[in-house]
Amino acid sequence: ARAGLAACVILLVFGAIVVVLWIGGQDVLAGRITGGELASFVFYASVVASAAGALSEIMGDLQRAAGASERLFELLDTRPEITAPALPATLPTRPQGALRFEHLSFAYPAHPEQPVLRDFEVAIAPGETVALVGPSGAGKSSVFQLLMRFYDPTAGRVCFDGIDLRALEPAAFRARIGLVPQEPVIFSTDAWDNIRYGRPDASDD
C-alpha cells in the first residue's frame, strides 16, 4: 500500500510539472510570459510542494507519537498490584537465607482458571543447594517469579528467614537476592555499567 501510494504521488507530481511546463511553454511562445517568469513559477511551486509534503509527513509523525504517548500514559497511570506494606517488617542485618514455600498455589492473572502450582511446599535451609527439574510449563520459572515477588500467590505464602514476603518492602528484599536469568540481557554500554547495573555505586574493586 505504501509503495502504491508513493507511485501515485510521484506520478501526480511529475504529471503536474509536465502540465505546467506545457501550458507555460505555450504562453512563452505566445509572448504572454517570459521564460524567466516560467522558470520562477516552476521553482516556487516546487518549493511550496516540497514544504507541503514535509508538513504532511510531520503530521503523520505527530499522530503516531500521540498514539504512543497515550499508551505510555496509560501504563504510567496503572497502579501496581505488588506494593510495600504501610509498616514493612525489618530484615535481619545478617540474613540467614532460609526459604520456605508453604501450601503455595498460584495461577497467572491472564489465566486464573489454570493453576500453575497447587499446594506446593519446599523448605530450603541456609547454604543448601536445590535444583528444580521438570518439563516446560511445570512451574519452575513461576516459583522464582513468586520468590522475587513479581506476583503474589493465590494461596499460601513465601517466607524468607521466617518472614512473609508480603510483609517486606520489595526493593529491600530483592536487594538480598542475586538472580542469574536464563536469558541474559546486555545493555548497549560498556561492561562496567552492565556489571554495575544492580549496584551503580559499587567501586571498581
Side-chain angles (χ1 to χ4, degrees):
R2 186 172 183 178
L5 179 61
C8 291
V9 170
I10 292 173
L11 182 63
L12 290 173
V13 168
F14 283 99
I17 293 175
V18 169
V19 170
V20 168
L21 290 176
W22 173 259
I23 297 175
Q26 297 295 324
D27 289 340
V28 170
L29 293 175
R32 287 187 290 270
I33 62 173
T34 65
E37 290 174 337
L38 175 60
S40 298
F41 177 81
V42 172
F43 173 73
Y44 292 138
S46 63
V47 171
V48 172
S50 62
L55 186 62
S56 65
E57 291 182 5
I58 292 174
M59 288 300 297
D61 292 338
L62 288 175
Q63 289 178 348
R64 284 192 295 270
S69 300
E70 182 179 356
R71 177 59 179 152
L72 286 175
F73 284 121
E74 287 179 2
L75 293 173
L76 290 173
D77 292 338
T78 302
R79 291 180 174 270
E81 296 182 2
I82 306 299
T83 57
L87 296 173
T90 303
L91 285 168
T93 306
R94 295 179 62 85
Q96 300 298 313
L99 291 172
R100 182 180 293 275
F101 297 85
E102 299 179 353
H103 301 287
L104 200 68
S105 296
F106 173 68
Y108 285 98
H111 302 284
E113 73 285 351
Q114 298 178 1
V116 180
L117 300 170
R118 296 185 183 88
D119 200 24
F120 177 75
E121 286 198 61
V122 171
I124 304 174
E128 186 178 4
T129 301
V130 175
L132 299 180
V133 182
S136 178
K140 304 182 298 296
S141 298
S142 300
V143 170
F144 283 95
Q145 295 195 47
L146 291 169
L147 174 60
M148 296 299 295
R149 208 191 166 200
F150 295 150
Y151 297 94
D152 280 334
T154 308
R157 62 177 190 162
V158 183
C159 295
F160 179 76
D161 283 344
I163 305 174
D164 192 332
L165 294 188
R166 285 170 288 200
L168 297 170
E169 207 282 323
F173 163 71
R174 290 168 184 164
R176 302 288 183 94
I177 293 183
L179 177 66
V180 181
Q182 62 182 354
E183 296 178 359
V185 176
I186 302 297
F187 297 100
S188 57
T189 181
D190 57 32
W192 286 112
D193 289 335
N194 274 280
I195 296 171
R196 276 200 183 94
Y197 178 72
R199 289 179 54 192
D201 57 343
S203 66
D204 289 351
D205 292 337

